[in-house]
């Protein structure tokens, strides 16, 4: 029988205070994992995330980290590795988006998005993955995007970062599969989160988006959770360098 449980595992989920990250962390806890929650503004105690993890009967550890700043990323890594000798699952989910037409897209937008969506994710996967190699096992799952495959409009930094993540996870998988470390990704479609609020409020764009989605609705963060749990579980032990698209049928249209 396939095993989709992650009992006894410790999962680190970035961008877990809300949206997709909150849904992923909650689902992993409900599937048996203790959770390390990471966000730039995650409260040390009393957060919605903590309440969800405790309700699932699992342990919860909260950390703050500004992924746009490299010093903050390395400080976080030093602390979390000192606090936890073994991390079994890394969900590289944190991401940001800034919108402006390409001709007016400022350097500051570009640098911020690349730092959060690409540079920090590379550093976290590399450094936590080293421990997984020593352990002889581990699961790393990146949050990709439809813009891992498409260019989008007014979001060049986001498109570049998500396209790069699609290739980066394959690069990790090519080197680490032989060590028992599975590296894969999930590409959410159009999901109702803070990042897409501007699109949903634009009646013309919202209508056009829904017209292309065969499921005829925006996805929810909870719609994403199953794919992440699968890629974190023993059921995906022979998957390496793959991206699961969860998009209501968008890419098949």
């Amino acid at each position: 029988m396939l095993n989709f449980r992650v009992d006894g595992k410790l999962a680190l989920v970035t961008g877990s205070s809300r949206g997709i990250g909150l849904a992923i962390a909650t689902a992993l806890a409900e599937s048996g994992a203790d959770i390390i929650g990471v966000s730039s503004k995650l409260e040390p105690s009393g957060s919605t995330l903590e309440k969800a993890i405790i309700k699932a009967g699992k342990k919860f550890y909260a950390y703050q980290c500004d992924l746009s700043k490299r010093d903050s990323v390395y400080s976080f890594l030093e602390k979390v590795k000192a606090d936890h000798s073994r991390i079994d699952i890394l969900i590289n989910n944190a991401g940001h988006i800034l919108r402006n037409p390409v001709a007016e897209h400022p350097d500051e937008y570009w640098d911020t998005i690349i730092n959060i969506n690409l540079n920090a994710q590379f550093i976290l996967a590399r450094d936590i993955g080293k421990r997984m190699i020593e352990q002889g096992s581990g699961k790393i799952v990146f949050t990709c995007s439809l813009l891992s495959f498409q260019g989008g409009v007014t979001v060049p930094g986001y498109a570049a970062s998500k396209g790069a993540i699609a290739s980066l996870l394959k690069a990790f998988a090519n080197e680490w599969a032989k060590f028992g470390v599975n590296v894969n990704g999930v590409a959410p479609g159009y999901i109702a989160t803070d990042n897409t609020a501007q699109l949903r409020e634009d009646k013309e764009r919202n209508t056009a988006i829904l017209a292309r989605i065969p499921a005829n609705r925006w996805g929810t963060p909870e719609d994403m959770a199953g794919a992440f749990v699968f890629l974190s579980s023993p059921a995906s032990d022979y998957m390496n360098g793959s991206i699961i698209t969860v998009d209501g049928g968008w890419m098949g249209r």
Side-chain angles (χ1 to χ4, degrees), residues 117-136:
N117 294 7
L118 181 58
N119 294 342
Q121 298 206 27
F122 167 72
I123 293 168
L124 291 174
R126 180 193 64 195
D127 283 28
I128 293 174
K130 289 178 184 178
R131 283 257 186 106
M132 293 178 175
I133 291 172
E134 294 171 0
Q135 295 163 190

Side-chain angles (χ1 to χ4, degrees), residues 141-161:
V141 188
F142 288 85
T143 297
C144 300
S145 168
L146 294 181
L147 299 196
S148 294
F149 315 106
Q150 301 173 328
V153 179
T154 74
V155 288
Y158 187 83
S161 68

Side-chain angles (χ1 to χ4, degrees), residues 19-21 23 99 143-146 158 186-200 206 209-210 213 217-225 228 245-248 250:
I20 293 174
R99 302 177 187 277
T143 297
C144 300
S145 168
L146 294 181
Y158 187 83
V186 176
Y190 283 90
I191 311 303
T193 65
D194 292 347
N195 276 352
T196 60
Q198 189 174 341
L199 290 178
R200 286 179 284 118
N206 185 57
I209 288 167
L210 288 174
I213 301 174
R217 67 173 177 87
W218 286 74
T220 68
E222 290 71 26
D223 287 326
M224 304 299 105
F228 282 93
T245 304
V246 186
D247 63 354
W250 174 280

Side-chain angles (χ1 to χ4, degrees), residues 83-211:
D83 291 346
H84 306 280
S85 60
R86 182 184 181 100
I87 296 172
D88 303 287
I89 300 163
L90 169 62
I91 307 295
N92 249 335
N93 169 71
H96 192 43
I97 191 167
L98 292 171
R99 302 177 187 277
N100 220 29
V102 174
E104 289 86 40
H105 210 81
D107 290 352
E108 292 78 11
Y109 277 24
W110 177 272
D111 291 343
T112 296
I113 297 305
I114 295 300
N115 282 335
I116 295 172
N117 294 7
L118 181 58
N119 294 342
Q121 298 206 27
F122 167 72
I123 293 168
L124 291 174
R126 180 193 64 195
D127 283 28
I128 293 174
K130 289 178 184 178
R131 283 257 186 106
M132 293 178 175
I133 291 172
E134 294 171 0
Q135 295 163 190
S137 65
K139 302 280 187 174
I140 299 176
V141 188
F142 288 85
T143 297
C144 300
S145 168
L146 294 181
L147 299 196
S148 294
F149 315 106
Q150 301 173 328
V153 179
T154 74
V155 288
Y158 187 83
S161 68
K162 291 301 185 178
I165 286 296
S167 292
L168 179 63
L169 70 86
K170 294 179 178 69
F172 274 117
N174 289 342
E175 295 192 32
W176 288 0
K178 63 186 176 185
F179 298 117
V181 179
N182 301 89
V183 185
N184 295 288
V186 176
Y190 283 90
I191 311 303
T193 65
D194 292 347
N195 276 352
T196 60
Q198 189 174 341
L199 290 178
R200 286 179 284 118
E201 291 166 1
D202 183 327
K203 291 184 179 180
E204 185 175 338
R205 289 293 305 280
N206 185 57
T207 298
I209 288 167
L210 288 174

Side-chain angles (χ1 to χ4, degrees), residues 4-7 9 11-38 42 47-60 89 91 93 221-226 228-229 232:
F4 292 90
R5 298 286 302 177
V6 287
D7 297 293
K9 304 298 184 181
L12 190 160
V13 185
T14 67
S16 53
S17 64
R18 60 187 182 179
I20 293 174
L22 174 59
I24 295 167
T26 301
L28 285 170
E30 291 172 346
S31 299
D34 294 322
I35 302 296
I36 298 171
V38 185
L42 184 61
S47 66
T48 300
L49 174 60
E50 180 183 41
K51 292 174 183 176
I53 305 311
I54 298 303
K55 182 178 179 181
K58 307 308 298 182
K59 295 177 182 177
F60 175 70
I89 300 163
I91 307 295
N93 169 71
E222 290 71 26
D223 287 326
M224 304 299 105
F228 282 93
V229 171
S232 301

